Amino acid sequence: MQPILCIVGARPNYMKVAPLMRAFAQAEMPAHIVHTGQHYDADMNDRFFQALAMPAPIANLQVGSGTHAVQTADVMTRFEPVVDAQKPSCVLVVGDVNSTIACALVAAKKGIKVAHVEAGLRSGDRSMPEEINRILTDQLSDFLFTTEPDAQTNLLREGINEASIHFAGNVMIDTLFMMRPHAIPAAQILANLGISGADARFGLVTLHRPATVDDPVIFADMLRALAAVSDALPLVFAVHPRTRSNIDKFGLESIVRGKAISFIPPQGYLELLGLQSAATLVLTDSGGIQEETTALGVPCLTLRDNTERPITISQGTNTLAGRNGEHIVRLAHERLTQPFDTSKRPRGWDGQAAPRIAAILKNLLQ
Ligand code: UD1
């Protein structure tokens, strides 16, 4: 069997590909990682490879940052020779970043099978670059592995053949269950921030989406909301490079000055897992964190107008809080003062999604 090429490019990809590489090795299926280099800082990259004990990529395309067109085109032109050299049986892409659509498109045009893990998620919001990446990647894919039942409904509505769709569960939760015993205790990180005690209450914040942090008015309103929440609950804010640069560019630092908000750099996987597990409440615009908090049973407020992961609301701990500051503060106080069911878990988020995908792919590719 020719190798499967597994694509990683940006931070949310590593925890999805790590369990797949293990499952392929166990099933004796040859597989290699190709890194597009969409993310390149050690904090967004090398640290995850180490923490997740991932095999080194056979190629790093080093595309770096750029406009969507430049980044996507660079991945395509640099990935093509790798495909020509490796002659893979299949190109496996995960999630919805620019590297996902770029590599899927190269493979599909070369007549190479494309597997999409985390297929069928839809926010219904085409102003999100990820939504465009999701729709097009699914149209190009031969094997579509889904994480929740709504995904199948979305794919069928878009004309995807039902036989190509396989419910697999959530590979990111495979990684979460495997790494949970190795998580860095939150107390270790909090001690340096002046939040002490093994059972200290704190809220964890991550924001990085263009819709949240690229508009100075919306971002300022968000920061004012966080400042208000921090009067009731100290906050720890792990700051993405895009977010950091916009706080500086828009001069927003003064909104949070003197407030109980600790700004820390982007965290490694084991550090963020420790923080998420111990948090009283998580406030985020991330897709993955909506799922991780659901698996951990930690209440999450998603500071967006929509989610492509509705099961985290119906079967999990997530609440869509929108982007209006006052509404966010009201919901945060509700979560902190009123009982909330954190016991539900979606089907197939059981730590075995990657072995299921390996078994199905082995059968399909032979
Ligand atoms: C990308 C993904 C997004 C994902 C996010 C996770 C797309 C369209 N977006 O968004 O879905 O949720 O990754 O982080 O693929 N930068 C650095 N160091 C890095 C990488 C980026 O400083 O290692 C800075 C650069 O200034 C860059 C900016 O962050 O311009 C944004 O990076 P980019 O990869 O374009 O998009 P993300 O916002 O990270």
Side-chain angles (χ1 to χ4, degrees):
M1 180 179 169
Q2 287 298 109
I4 298 169
L5 293 186
C6 298
I7 310 303
V8 300
R11 185 170 62 174
N13 298 157
Y14 313 126
M15 42 294 232
K16 295 169 193 169
V17 166
L20 288 165
M21 290 300 289
R22 265 195 311 279
F24 291 146
Q26 220 135 45
E28 297 180 340
M29 298 161 73
H32 302 303
I33 295 178
V34 173
H35 197 318
T36 66
Q38 177 174 344
H39 283 174
Y40 41 87
D41 283 349
D43 271 353
M44 309 286 284
N45 184 19
D46 311 28
R47 222 169 147 181
F48 287 83
F49 268 80
Q50 283 154 18
L52 302 176
M54 292 170 74
I58 52 156
N60 188 322
L61 311 180
Q62 298 188 320
V63 298
S65 301
T67 65
H68 286 270
V70 166
Q71 199 171 54
T72 309
D74 280 353
V75 172
M76 288 183 69
T77 47
R78 296 181 196 192
F79 183 50
E80 182 168 41
V82 179
V83 173
D84 290 341
Q86 291 291 327
K87 302 187 176 33
S89 56
C90 172
V91 168
L92 181 146
V93 294
V94 297
D96 54 20
V97 301
N98 286 344
S99 303
T100 306
I101 173 66
C103 292
L105 188 49
V106 170
K109 289 264 179 113
K110 287 185 168 289
I112 290 167
K113 300 284 185 209
V114 177
H116 185 204
V117 173
E118 208 183 84
L121 297 183
R122 297 290 182 268
S123 66
D125 175 2
R126 287 208 187 191
S127 70
M128 283 178 86
E130 292 83 358
E131 183 76 351
I132 294 171
N133 295 342
R134 291 179 196 120
I135 294 167
L136 296 182
T137 302
D138 286 336
Q139 286 296 329
L140 296 168
S141 295
D142 299 281
F143 315 125
L144 298 99
F145 294 101
T146 58
T147 53
E148 55 175 274
D150 275 340
Q152 166 134 348
T153 311
N154 296 334
L155 292 170
L156 293 176
R157 194 180 51 234
E158 291 170 16
I160 304 285
N161 180 351
E162 190 169 358
S164 314
I165 307 170
H166 308 273
F167 175 73
N170 194 326
V171 288
M172 206 179 61
I173 305 307
D174 290 12
T175 297
L176 182 134
F177 285 162
M178 181 165 174
M179 301 315 282
R180 203 174 175 187
H182 309 288
I184 308 291
Q188 214 167 298
I189 302 163
L190 299 176
N192 295 329
L193 306 174
I195 305 171
S196 55
D199 50 5
R201 281 163 57 84
F202 71 98
L204 175 68
V205 182
T206 81
L207 297 175
H208 75 283
R209 288 200 182 279
T212 321
V213 303
D214 279 6
D215 179 315
V217 176
I218 291 172
F219 192 17
D221 191 37
M222 264 326 153
L223 288 176
R224 274 191 287 274
L226 295 177
V229 173
S230 76
D231 291 337
L233 182 74
L235 297 180
V236 177
F237 190 155
V239 188
H240 184 277
R242 174 193 284 277
T243 311
R244 172 81 271 159
S245 112
N246 286 350
I247 290 176
D248 299 341
K249 187 162 87 188
F250 305 146
L252 302 178
E253 191 81 49
S254 60
I255 298 175
V256 287
R257 195 168 299 134
K259 289 293 184 177
I261 305 181
S262 306
F263 288 85
I264 58 174
Q267 296 294 291
Y269 184 77
L270 298 177
E271 288 80 0
L272 200 79
L273 183 52
L275 286 168
Q276 282 192 75
S277 309
T280 310
L281 178 66
V282 173
L283 301 106
T284 190
D285 63 358
S286 154
I289 290 178
Q290 296 172 49
E291 296 185 340
E292 288 171 344
T293 45
T294 279
L296 291 166
V298 173
C300 174
L301 292 187
T302 295
L303 311 192
R304 288 174 43 188
D305 300 326
N306 50 57
T307 178
E308 60 289 333
R309 293 161 160 93
I311 203 164
T312 60
I313 296 174
S314 59
Q315 294 288 308
T317 58
N318 188 21
T319 306
L320 207 51
R323 292 182 296 162
N324 172 282
E326 279 176 27
H327 186 58
I328 292 166
V329 175
R330 220 176 16 254
L331 277 176
H333 283 297
E334 215 173 89
R335 277 295 155 277
L336 294 175
T337 53
Q338 292 173 18
F340 180 66
D341 182 4
T342 55
S343 63
K344 292 184 281 186
R345 300 287 183 279
R347 185 171 70 87
W349 295 23
D350 57 357
Q352 294 303 316
R356 281 193 286 270
I357 290 172
I360 295 168
L361 261 188
K362 192 170 189 178
N363 197 25
L364 290 168
L365 292 174
Q366 265 165 358

